[in-house]
PDB file of all heavy atoms in Angstrom:
ATOM      1  N   ILE A   1      96.603  85.289  73.272  1.00  0.00           N
ATOM      2  CA  ILE A   1      97.796  85.156  72.521  1.00  0.00           C
ATOM      3  C   ILE A   1      98.098  83.496  72.386  1.00  0.00           C
ATOM      4  O   ILE A   1      98.270  82.908  73.356  1.00  0.00           O
ATOM      5  CB  ILE A   1      98.958  85.826  73.121  1.00  0.00           C
ATOM      6  CG1 ILE A   1      98.719  87.349  73.155  1.00  0.00           C
ATOM      7  CG2 ILE A   1     100.315  85.531  72.320  1.00  0.00           C
ATOM      8  CD1 ILE A   1      99.752  88.114  73.934  1.00  0.00           C
ATOM      9  N   PRO A   2      98.256  83.038  71.109  1.00  0.00           N
ATOM     10  CA  PRO A   2      98.289  81.666  70.877  1.00  0.00           C
ATOM     11  C   PRO A   2      99.741  81.113  71.317  1.00  0.00           C
ATOM     12  O   PRO A   2      99.820  80.047  71.812  1.00  0.00           O
ATOM     13  CB  PRO A   2      98.025  81.420  69.403  1.00  0.00           C
ATOM     14  CG  PRO A   2      98.247  82.741  68.897  1.00  0.00           C
ATOM     15  CD  PRO A   2      97.971  83.795  69.856  1.00  0.00           C
ATOM     16  N   GLU A   3     100.775  81.842  71.080  1.00  0.00           N
ATOM     17  CA  GLU A   3     102.145  81.335  71.321  1.00  0.00           C
ATOM     18  C   GLU A   3     102.431  81.494  72.840  1.00  0.00           C
ATOM     19  O   GLU A   3     102.282  82.562  73.445  1.00  0.00           O
ATOM     20  CB  GLU A   3     103.156  82.127  70.509  1.00  0.00           C
ATOM     21  CG  GLU A   3     104.458  81.436  70.222  1.00  0.00           C
ATOM     22  CD  GLU A   3     105.375  81.354  71.383  1.00  0.00           C
ATOM     23  OE1 GLU A   3     105.614  82.524  71.937  1.00  0.00           O
ATOM     24  OE2 GLU A   3     106.015  80.353  71.660  1.00  0.00           O
ATOM     25  N   ARG A   4     102.859  80.397  73.483  1.00  0.00           N
ATOM     26  CA  ARG A   4     102.956  80.257  74.893  1.00  0.00           C
ATOM     27  C   ARG A   4     103.927  81.311  75.563  1.00  0.00           C
ATOM     28  O   ARG A   4     103.634  81.926  76.550  1.00  0.00           O
ATOM     29  CB  ARG A   4     103.664  78.873  75.312  1.00  0.00           C
ATOM     30  CG  ARG A   4     102.566  78.127  76.002  1.00  0.00           C
ATOM     31  CD  ARG A   4     103.239  76.819  76.384  1.00  0.00           C
ATOM     32  NE  ARG A   4     103.371  76.560  77.729  1.00  0.00           N
ATOM     33  CZ  ARG A   4     102.545  75.882  78.455  1.00  0.00           C
ATOM     34  NH1 ARG A   4     101.573  75.267  77.847  1.00  0.00           N
ATOM     35  NH2 ARG A   4     102.728  75.762  79.851  1.00  0.00           N
ATOM     36  N   ARG A   5     105.138  81.482  74.949  1.00  0.00           N
ATOM     37  CA  ARG A   5     106.066  82.430  75.541  1.00  0.00           C
ATOM     38  C   ARG A   5     105.604  83.878  75.519  1.00  0.00           C
ATOM     39  O   ARG A   5     105.746  84.575  76.492  1.00  0.00           O
ATOM     40  CB  ARG A   5     107.495  82.400  74.861  1.00  0.00           C
ATOM     41  CG  ARG A   5     108.220  81.044  75.214  1.00  0.00           C
ATOM     42  CD  ARG A   5     109.566  81.030  74.519  1.00  0.00           C
ATOM     43  NE  ARG A   5     109.331  81.002  73.118  1.00  0.00           N
ATOM     44  CZ  ARG A   5     110.017  81.493  72.096  1.00  0.00           C
ATOM     45  NH1 ARG A   5     111.154  82.145  72.588  1.00  0.00           N
ATOM     46  NH2 ARG A   5     109.765  81.453  70.862  1.00  0.00           N
ATOM     47  N   HIS A   6     105.093  84.192  74.326  1.00  0.00           N
ATOM     48  CA  HIS A   6     104.477  85.578  74.232  1.00  0.00           C
ATOM     49  C   HIS A   6     103.229  85.766  75.107  1.00  0.00           C
ATOM     50  O   HIS A   6     103.083  86.891  75.698  1.00  0.00           O
ATOM     51  CB  HIS A   6     104.165  85.840  72.791  1.00  0.00           C
ATOM     52  CG  HIS A   6     105.362  85.872  71.846  1.00  0.00           C
ATOM     53  ND1 HIS A   6     106.438  86.711  72.050  1.00  0.00           N
ATOM     54  CD2 HIS A   6     105.584  85.000  70.843  1.00  0.00           C
ATOM     55  CE1 HIS A   6     107.324  86.348  71.082  1.00  0.00           C
ATOM     56  NE2 HIS A   6     106.853  85.377  70.419  1.00  0.00           N
ATOM     57  N   ALA A   7     102.385  84.792  75.254  1.00  0.00           N
ATOM     58  CA  ALA A   7     101.321  84.791  76.088  1.00  0.00           C
ATOM     59  C   ALA A   7     101.679  84.938  77.625  1.00  0.00           C
ATOM     60  O   ALA A   7     101.163  85.862  78.322  1.00  0.00           O
ATOM     61  CB  ALA A   7     100.386  83.579  75.999  1.00  0.00           C
ATOM     62  N   ARG A   8     102.781  84.323  78.065  1.00  0.00           N
ATOM     63  CA  ARG A   8     103.244  84.399  79.285  1.00  0.00           C
ATOM     64  C   ARG A   8     103.729  85.761  79.547  1.00  0.00           C
ATOM     65  O   ARG A   8     103.371  86.429  80.639  1.00  0.00           O
ATOM     66  CB  ARG A   8     104.397  83.378  79.628  1.00  0.00           C
ATOM     67  CG  ARG A   8     104.954  83.452  80.960  1.00  0.00           C
ATOM     68  CD  ARG A   8     106.150  82.320  81.204  1.00  0.00           C
ATOM     69  NE  ARG A   8     106.716  82.503  82.383  1.00  0.00           N
ATOM     70  CZ  ARG A   8     107.724  83.189  82.679  1.00  0.00           C
ATOM     71  NH1 ARG A   8     108.330  83.984  81.711  1.00  0.00           N
ATOM     72  NH2 ARG A   8     108.311  83.291  83.952  1.00  0.00           N
ATOM     73  N   ALA A   9     104.485  86.326  78.705  1.00  0.00           N
ATOM     74  CA  ALA A   9     105.020  87.743  78.906  1.00  0.00           C
ATOM     75  C   ALA A   9     103.874  88.687  78.906  1.00  0.00           C
ATOM     76  O   ALA A   9     103.810  89.696  79.712  1.00  0.00           O
ATOM     77  CB  ALA A   9     105.947  88.084  77.732  1.00  0.00           C
ATOM     78  N   GLY A  10     102.903  88.550  78.047  1.00  0.00           N
ATOM     79  CA  GLY A  10     101.720  89.528  78.009  1.00  0.00           C
ATOM     80  C   GLY A  10     100.899  89.258  79.302  1.00  0.00           C
ATOM     81  O   GLY A  10     100.481  90.320  79.830  1.00  0.00           O
ATOM     82  N   LEU A  11     100.746  88.096  79.799  1.00  0.00           N
ATOM     83  CA  LEU A  11      99.973  87.918  81.006  1.00  0.00           C
ATOM     84  C   LEU A  11     100.742  88.471  82.196  1.00  0.00           C
ATOM     85  O   LEU A  11     100.129  89.083  83.142  1.00  0.00           O
ATOM     86  CB  LEU A  11      99.748  86.439  81.229  1.00  0.00           C
ATOM     87  CG  LEU A  11      98.698  85.835  80.407  1.00  0.00           C
ATOM     88  CD1 LEU A  11      98.649  84.347  80.470  1.00  0.00           C
ATOM     89  CD2 LEU A  11      97.226  86.351  80.755  1.00  0.00           C
ATOM     90  N   ILE A  12     101.993  88.403  82.257  1.00  0.00           N
ATOM     91  CA  ILE A  12     102.841  89.020  83.318  1.00  0.00           C
ATOM     92  C   ILE A  12     102.578  90.489  83.293  1.00  0.00           C
ATOM     93  O   ILE A  12     102.365  91.165  84.312  1.00  0.00           O
ATOM     94  CB  ILE A  12     104.325  88.624  83.200  1.00  0.00           C
ATOM     95  CG1 ILE A  12     104.563  87.216  83.618  1.00  0.00           C
ATOM     96  CG2 ILE A  12     105.151  89.629  84.125  1.00  0.00           C
ATOM     97  CD1 ILE A  12     105.987  86.715  83.307  1.00  0.00           C
ATOM     98  N   ALA A  13     102.761  91.121  82.062  1.00  0.00           N
ATOM     99  CA  ALA A  13     102.487  92.557  81.981  1.00  0.00           C
ATOM    100  C   ALA A  13     101.168  93.039  82.393  1.00  0.00           C
ATOM    101  O   ALA A  13     100.966  94.008  83.108  1.00  0.00           O
ATOM    102  CB  ALA A  13     103.022  93.041  80.614  1.00  0.00           C
ATOM    103  N   ALA A  14     100.101  92.393  81.856  1.00  0.00           N
ATOM    104  CA  ALA A  14      98.756  92.650  82.142  1.00  0.00           C
ATOM    105  C   ALA A  14      98.359  92.472  83.565  1.00  0.00           C
ATOM    106  O   ALA A  14      97.725  93.356  84.155  1.00  0.00           O
ATOM    107  CB  ALA A  14      97.862  91.878  81.147  1.00  0.00           C
ATOM    108  N   ASN A  15      98.852  91.376  84.125  1.00  0.00           N
ATOM    109  CA  ASN A  15      98.573  91.166  85.623  1.00  0.00           C
ATOM    110  C   ASN A  15      99.226  92.216  86.480  1.00  0.00           C
ATOM    111  O   ASN A  15      98.728  92.665  87.535  1.00  0.00           O
ATOM    112  CB  ASN A  15      98.820  89.702  86.022  1.00  0.00           C
ATOM    113  CG  ASN A  15      97.664  88.795  85.690  1.00  0.00           C
ATOM    114  OD1 ASN A  15      96.641  88.905  86.228  1.00  0.00           O
ATOM    115  ND2 ASN A  15      97.887  87.911  84.774  1.00  0.00           N
ATOM    116  N   ALA A  16     100.452  92.515  86.114  1.00  0.00           N
ATOM    117  CA  ALA A  16     101.225  93.479  86.910  1.00  0.00           C
ATOM    118  C   ALA A  16     100.518  94.923  86.792  1.00  0.00           C
ATOM    119  O   ALA A  16     100.392  95.622  87.828  1.00  0.00           O
ATOM    120  CB  ALA A  16     102.689  93.670  86.374  1.00  0.00           C
ATOM    121  N   TYR A  17     100.086  95.278  85.627  1.00  0.00           N
ATOM    122  CA  TYR A  17      99.277  96.505  85.393  1.00  0.00           C
ATOM    123  C   TYR A  17      97.977  96.525  86.248  1.00  0.00           C
ATOM    124  O   TYR A  17      97.738  97.483  87.036  1.00  0.00           O
ATOM    125  CB  TYR A  17      98.965  96.754  83.987  1.00  0.00           C
ATOM    126  CG  TYR A  17      98.230  97.931  83.734  1.00  0.00           C
ATOM    127  CD1 TYR A  17      98.665  99.287  83.866  1.00  0.00           C
ATOM    128  CD2 TYR A  17      96.841  97.846  83.291  1.00  0.00           C
ATOM    129  CE1 TYR A  17      97.926 100.326  83.616  1.00  0.00           C
ATOM    130  CE2 TYR A  17      96.103  99.037  83.013  1.00  0.00           C
ATOM    131  CZ  TYR A  17      96.584 100.222  83.260  1.00  0.00           C
ATOM    132  OH  TYR A  17      95.831 101.317  82.959  1.00  0.00           O
ATOM    133  N   ALA A  18      97.272  95.356  86.277  1.00  0.00           N
ATOM    134  CA  ALA A  18      96.090  95.254  86.928  1.00  0.00           C
ATOM    135  C   ALA A  18      96.325  95.341  88.420  1.00  0.00           C
ATOM    136  O   ALA A  18      95.585  96.053  89.137  1.00  0.00           O
ATOM    137  CB  ALA A  18      95.415  93.953  86.639  1.00  0.00           C
ATOM    138  N   LEU A  19      97.293  94.665  88.887  1.00  0.00           N
ATOM    139  CA  LEU A  19      97.668  94.692  90.335  1.00  0.00           C
ATOM    140  C   LEU A  19      98.012  96.150  90.773  1.00  0.00           C
ATOM    141  O   LEU A  19      97.586  96.566  91.907  1.00  0.00           O
ATOM    142  CB  LEU A  19      98.888  93.810  90.586  1.00  0.00           C
ATOM    143  CG  LEU A  19      99.195  93.615  92.096  1.00  0.00           C
ATOM    144  CD1 LEU A  19      98.057  93.055  92.962  1.00  0.00           C
ATOM    145  CD2 LEU A  19     100.448  92.640  92.227  1.00  0.00           C
ATOM    146  N   GLY A  20      98.766  96.813  89.930  1.00  0.00           N
ATOM    147  CA  GLY A  20      99.036  98.257  90.310  1.00  0.00           C
ATOM    148  C   GLY A  20      97.793  99.129  90.297  1.00  0.00           C
ATOM    149  O   GLY A  20      97.630  99.912  91.301  1.00  0.00           O
ATOM    150  N   VAL A  21      96.921  98.980  89.396  1.00  0.00           N
ATOM    151  CA  VAL A  21      95.767  99.861  89.321  1.00  0.00           C
ATOM    152  C   VAL A  21      94.854  99.518  90.520  1.00  0.00           C
ATOM    153  O   VAL A  21      94.307 100.380  91.211  1.00  0.00           O
ATOM    154  CB  VAL A  21      95.005  99.731  88.035  1.00  0.00           C
ATOM    155  CG1 VAL A  21      93.574 100.416  88.105  1.00  0.00           C
ATOM    156  CG2 VAL A  21      95.842 100.343  86.852  1.00  0.00           C
ATOM    157  N   PHE A  22      94.655  98.195  90.699  1.00  0.00           N
ATOM    158  CA  PHE A  22      93.848  97.833  91.864  1.00  0.00           C
ATOM    159  C   PHE A  22      94.369  98.222  93.201  1.00  0.00           C
ATOM    160  O   PHE A  22      93.693  98.528  94.175  1.00  0.00           O
ATOM    161  CB  PHE A  22      93.617  96.294  91.891  1.00  0.00           C
ATOM    162  CG  PHE A  22      92.843  95.663  90.656  1.00  0.00           C
ATOM    163  CD1 PHE A  22      93.006  94.564  90.209  1.00  0.00           C
ATOM    164  CD2 PHE A  22      91.916  96.487  90.081  1.00  0.00           C
ATOM    165  CE1 PHE A  22      92.376  93.932  89.135  1.00  0.00           C
ATOM    166  CE2 PHE A  22      91.119  95.987  89.007  1.00  0.00           C
ATOM    167  CZ  PHE A  22      91.448  94.669  88.547  1.00  0.00           C
ATOM    168  N   THR A  23      95.687  98.229  93.361  1.00  0.00           N
ATOM    169  CA  THR A  23      96.273  98.587  94.661  1.00  0.00           C
ATOM    170  C   THR A  23      96.139 100.088  94.800  1.00  0.00           C
ATOM    171  O   THR A  23      95.875 100.544  95.937  1.00  0.00           O
ATOM    172  CB  THR A  23      97.758  98.223  94.629  1.00  0.00           C
ATOM    173  OG1 THR A  23      97.952  96.807  94.390  1.00  0.00           O
ATOM    174  CG2 THR A  23      98.496  98.569  95.974  1.00  0.00           C
ATOM    175  N   VAL A  24      96.269 100.846  93.778  1.00  0.00           N
ATOM    176  CA  VAL A  24      96.065 102.380  93.868  1.00  0.00           C
ATOM    177  C   VAL A  24      94.656 102.594  94.267  1.00  0.00           C
ATOM    178  O   VAL A  24      94.288 103.565  95.093  1.00  0.00           O
ATOM    179  CB  VAL A  24      96.527 103.104  92.655  1.00  0.00           C
ATOM    180  CG1 VAL A  24      96.097 104.470  92.579  1.00  0.00           C
ATOM    181  CG2 VAL A  24      97.957 102.953  92.421  1.00  0.00           C
ATOM    182  N   ALA A  25      93.669 101.946  93.658  1.00  0.00           N
ATOM    183  CA  ALA A  25      92.279 102.081  93.999  1.00  0.00           C
ATOM    184  C   ALA A  25      91.973 101.819  95.479  1.00  0.00           C
ATOM    185  O   ALA A  25      91.250 102.569  96.099  1.00  0.00           O
ATOM    186  CB  ALA A  25      91.437 101.223  93.129  1.00  0.00           C
ATOM    187  N   MET A  26      92.560 100.732  95.915  1.00  0.00           N
ATOM    188  CA  MET A  26      92.409 100.345  97.279  1.00  0.00           C
ATOM    189  C   MET A  26      92.981 101.446  98.246  1.00  0.00           C
ATOM    190  O   MET A  26      92.479 101.761  99.250  1.00  0.00           O
ATOM    191  CB  MET A  26      93.000  98.950  97.641  1.00  0.00           C
ATOM    192  CG  MET A  26      92.766  98.517  99.068  1.00  0.00           C
ATOM    193  SD  MET A  26      91.090  98.195  99.499  1.00  0.00           S
ATOM    194  CE  MET A  26      90.946  96.564  98.995  1.00  0.00           C
ATOM    195  N   ALA A  27      94.248 101.831  97.852  1.00  0.00           N
ATOM    196  CA  ALA A  27      94.869 102.978  98.711  1.00  0.00           C
ATOM    197  C   ALA A  27      94.007 104.216  98.723  1.00  0.00           C
ATOM    198  O   ALA A  27      93.888 104.802  99.743  1.00  0.00           O
ATOM    199  CB  ALA A  27      96.198 103.197  98.105  1.00  0.00           C
ATOM    200  N   ARG A  28      93.329 104.522  97.623  1.00  0.00           N
ATOM    201  CA  ARG A  28      92.489 105.717  97.671  1.00  0.00           C
ATOM    202  C   ARG A  28      91.271 105.455  98.531  1.00  0.00           C
ATOM    203  O   ARG A  28      90.799 106.401  99.300  1.00  0.00           O
ATOM    204  CB  ARG A  28      92.063 105.939  96.235  1.00  0.00           C
ATOM    205  CG  ARG A  28      92.985 106.824  95.413  1.00  0.00           C
ATOM    206  CD  ARG A  28      92.234 107.362  94.185  1.00  0.00           C
ATOM    207  NE  ARG A  28      93.013 108.369  93.618  1.00  0.00           N
ATOM    208  CZ  ARG A  28      92.583 109.038  92.562  1.00  0.00           C
ATOM    209  NH1 ARG A  28      91.421 108.654  91.970  1.00  0.00           N
ATOM    210  NH2 ARG A  28      93.317 110.013  92.017  1.00  0.00           N
ATOM    211  N   ARG A  29      90.695 104.328  98.483  1.00  0.00           N
ATOM    212  CA  ARG A  29      89.590 104.043  99.303  1.00  0.00           C
ATOM    213  C   ARG A  29      89.980 104.146 100.844  1.00  0.00           C
ATOM    214  O   ARG A  29      89.248 104.726 101.618  1.00  0.00           O
ATOM    215  CB  ARG A  29      89.036 102.613  99.120  1.00  0.00           C
ATOM    216  CG  ARG A  29      88.289 102.420  97.826  1.00  0.00           C
ATOM    217  CD  ARG A  29      87.639 101.063  97.825  1.00  0.00           C
ATOM    218  NE  ARG A  29      86.801 100.770  98.984  1.00  0.00           N
ATOM    219  CZ  ARG A  29      85.500 101.064  99.091  1.00  0.00           C
ATOM    220  NH1 ARG A  29      84.981 101.778  98.065  1.00  0.00           N
ATOM    221  NH2 ARG A  29      84.774 100.732 100.081  1.00  0.00           N
ATOM    222  N   LEU A  30      91.196 103.584 101.119  1.00  0.00           N
ATOM    223  CA  LEU A  30      91.518 103.631 102.580  1.00  0.00           C
ATOM    224  C   LEU A  30      91.902 105.043 102.920  1.00  0.00           C
ATOM    225  O   LEU A  30      91.711 105.432 104.123  1.00  0.00           O
ATOM    226  CB  LEU A  30      92.713 102.636 102.769  1.00  0.00           C
ATOM    227  CG  LEU A  30      92.432 101.138 102.529  1.00  0.00           C
ATOM    228  CD1 LEU A  30      93.690 100.396 102.666  1.00  0.00           C
ATOM    229  CD2 LEU A  30      91.363 100.675 103.588  1.00  0.00           C
ATOM    230  N   ASN A  31      92.489 105.840 102.085  1.00  0.00           N
ATOM    231  CA  ASN A  31      92.817 107.164 102.415  1.00  0.00           C
ATOM    232  C   ASN A  31      91.632 108.035 102.628  1.00  0.00           C
ATOM    233  O   ASN A  31      91.669 108.949 103.428  1.00  0.00           O
ATOM    234  CB  ASN A  31      93.682 107.776 101.265  1.00  0.00           C
ATOM    235  CG  ASN A  31      94.320 109.131 101.595  1.00  0.00           C
ATOM    236  OD1 ASN A  31      94.723 109.325 102.706  1.00  0.00           O
ATOM    237  ND2 ASN A  31      94.434 110.012 100.664  1.00  0.00           N
ATOM    238  N   ALA A  32      90.498 107.700 101.959  1.00  0.00           N
ATOM    239  CA  ALA A  32      89.283 108.451 102.077  1.00  0.00           C
ATOM    240  C   ALA A  32      88.384 107.858 103.167  1.00  0.00           C
ATOM    241  O   ALA A  32      87.177 108.278 103.277  1.00  0.00           O
ATOM    242  CB  ALA A  32      88.466 108.454 100.744  1.00  0.00           C
ATOM    243  N   ASP A  33      88.961 106.974 103.987  1.00  0.00           N
ATOM    244  CA  ASP A  33      88.213 106.199 105.090  1.00  0.00           C
ATOM    245  C   ASP A  33      86.911 105.674 104.641  1.00  0.00           C
ATOM    246  O   ASP A  33      85.904 105.612 105.312  1.00  0.00           O
ATOM    247  CB  ASP A  33      87.862 107.334 106.242  1.00  0.00           C
ATOM    248  CG  ASP A  33      89.090 107.762 106.907  1.00  0.00           C
ATOM    249  OD1 ASP A  33      90.089 106.950 107.037  1.00  0.00           O
ATOM    250  OD2 ASP A  33      89.147 108.920 107.428  1.00  0.00           O
ATOM    251  N   LEU A  34      87.012 104.985 103.433  1.00  0.00           N
ATOM    252  CA  LEU A  34      85.791 104.211 102.927  1.00  0.00           C
ATOM    253  C   LEU A  34      85.875 102.764 103.332  1.00  0.00           C
ATOM    254  O   LEU A  34      84.946 101.989 103.059  1.00  0.00           O
ATOM    255  CB  LEU A  34      85.763 104.359 101.403  1.00  0.00           C
ATOM    256  CG  LEU A  34      85.414 105.772 100.931  1.00  0.00           C
ATOM    257  CD1 LEU A  34      85.547 105.810  99.446  1.00  0.00           C
ATOM    258  CD2 LEU A  34      84.126 106.251 101.314  1.00  0.00           C
ATOM    259  N   GLY A  35      87.051 102.397 103.861  1.00  0.00           N
ATOM    260  CA  GLY A  35      87.168 100.936 104.240  1.00  0.00           C
ATOM    261  C   GLY A  35      87.606 100.044 103.120  1.00  0.00           C
ATOM    262  O   GLY A  35      87.703 100.460 101.994  1.00  0.00           O
ATOM    263  N   VAL A  36      87.804  98.770 103.500  1.00  0.00           N
ATOM    264  CA  VAL A  36      88.257  97.848 102.591  1.00  0.00           C
ATOM    265  C   VAL A  36      87.162  97.337 101.724  1.00  0.00           C
ATOM    266  O   VAL A  36      86.073  96.947 102.282  1.00  0.00           O
ATOM    267  CB  VAL A  36      89.016  96.596 103.230  1.00  0.00           C
ATOM    268  CG1 VAL A  36      89.304  95.513 102.301  1.00  0.00           C
ATOM    269  CG2 VAL A  36      90.212  97.164 104.059  1.00  0.00           C
ATOM    270  N   SER A  37      87.225  97.290 100.393  1.00  0.00           N
ATOM    271  CA  SER A  37      86.256  96.719  99.466  1.00  0.00           C
ATOM    272  C   SER A  37      86.586  95.254  99.308  1.00  0.00           C
ATOM    273  O   SER A  37      87.625  95.002  98.841  1.00  0.00           O
ATOM    274  CB  SER A  37      86.237  97.447  98.151  1.00  0.00           C
ATOM    275  OG  SER A  37      85.620  96.698  97.226  1.00  0.00           O
ATOM    276  N   PRO A  38      85.719  94.368  99.714  1.00  0.00           N
ATOM    277  CA  PRO A  38      85.927  92.940  99.643  1.00  0.00           C
ATOM    278  C   PRO A  38      86.202  92.503  98.147  1.00  0.00           C
ATOM    279  O   PRO A  38      87.024  91.714  97.847  1.00  0.00           O
ATOM    280  CB  PRO A  38      84.627  92.258 100.262  1.00  0.00           C
ATOM    281  CG  PRO A  38      83.968  93.285 101.123  1.00  0.00           C
ATOM    282  CD  PRO A  38      84.391  94.603 100.486  1.00  0.00           C
ATOM    283  N   ALA A  39      85.433  92.999  97.204  1.00  0.00           N
ATOM    284  CA  ALA A  39      85.666  92.684  95.788  1.00  0.00           C
ATOM    285  C   ALA A  39      86.958  93.101  95.346  1.00  0.00           C
ATOM    286  O   ALA A  39      87.621  92.360  94.499  1.00  0.00           O
ATOM    287  CB  ALA A  39      84.431  93.257  94.995  1.00  0.00           C
TER     288      ALA A  39
END
């Protein structure tokens, strides 16, 4: 996104979504006793 303010808002939303999905994936791994995935 070229415009700074809109890019910042988009990056906040996209990184928050990514963080949520990655956290749920890690929680599932830990719940299934697969251990922590370094990546």
